[in-house]
Amino acid sequence: MSEEAKNEWWEWIKAIIIAIVLAFLLRTFFFATSIVEGASMNPTLESGERVMFNKIIYYLEEPTYGEIVIIHRPVKSYVKRIIALPNDVVEVRDHKLYINGEKQNQDYLNKSSIEETTNYGPVKVPDGHYFVMGDNRSISKDSRNGLGFIKESEIIGRSELVIYPLKEWGMTR
């Protein structure tokens, strides 16, 4: 094998090793994927969709209203929407969501999800915790019924986009 061919092989091997290391670093520290299980986030996300989430964003900024987050619990992970921040007061009255006494516009919900949202609260979110709900309010296991308040440390990333199935490719907000 000529010296030129050896150099070309060596360059290819280096490029492949660098690509593998970069993919590992991105997957480990910056981005990961999660599969949506169940219908609790319909119509925004459907069961079986794979979402890519940003793992580093909450080292740079705090979670905020309306973001779809990945919550890690010992048994399983959940995909939910942040409804209220630490020290907020949450109430659902007459199918309308109120945060700190102000009615919230929930344009990401369909009409049936709004109509099926039952009365709840008022409750104050403890310091260092968040209140989350699924977009399909009538069937969602969330802060109202089962998940409780979410510790900041349990939020492992923000959903950025649907990557599968390909026909659903796009941002998740």
Side-chain angles (χ1 to χ4, degrees), residues 96 140 161:
K96 295 170 184 68
S140 178
L161 57 102

Side-chain angles (χ1 to χ4, degrees), residues 107-153:
D107 56 0
Y108 47 84
L109 295 180
N110 61 33
K111 186 176 180 182
S112 66
S113 287
I114 292 171
E115 291 172 353
E116 293 171 356
T117 305
T118 58
N119 289 346
Y120 178 83
V123 296
K124 184 175 181 182
V125 182
D127 196 36
H129 291 76
Y130 292 83
F131 189 94
V132 299
M133 293 170 79
D135 289 355
N136 191 352
R137 301 287 163 80
S138 65
I139 66 163
S140 178
K141 179 179 180 182
D142 52 40
S143 289
R144 299 170 297 164
N145 55 24
L147 290 183
F149 299 113
I150 306 301
K151 295 177 194 169
E152 188 170 3
S153 63

Side-chain angles (χ1 to χ4, degrees), residues 41-46 49 68 81 108 135 162 172-173:
M41 284 302 292
N42 284 355
T44 308
L45 298 171
E46 295 180 11
E49 288 182 338
I68 298 173
R81 186 178 300 274
Y108 47 84
D135 289 355
V162 175
T172 59
R173 299 191 183 128

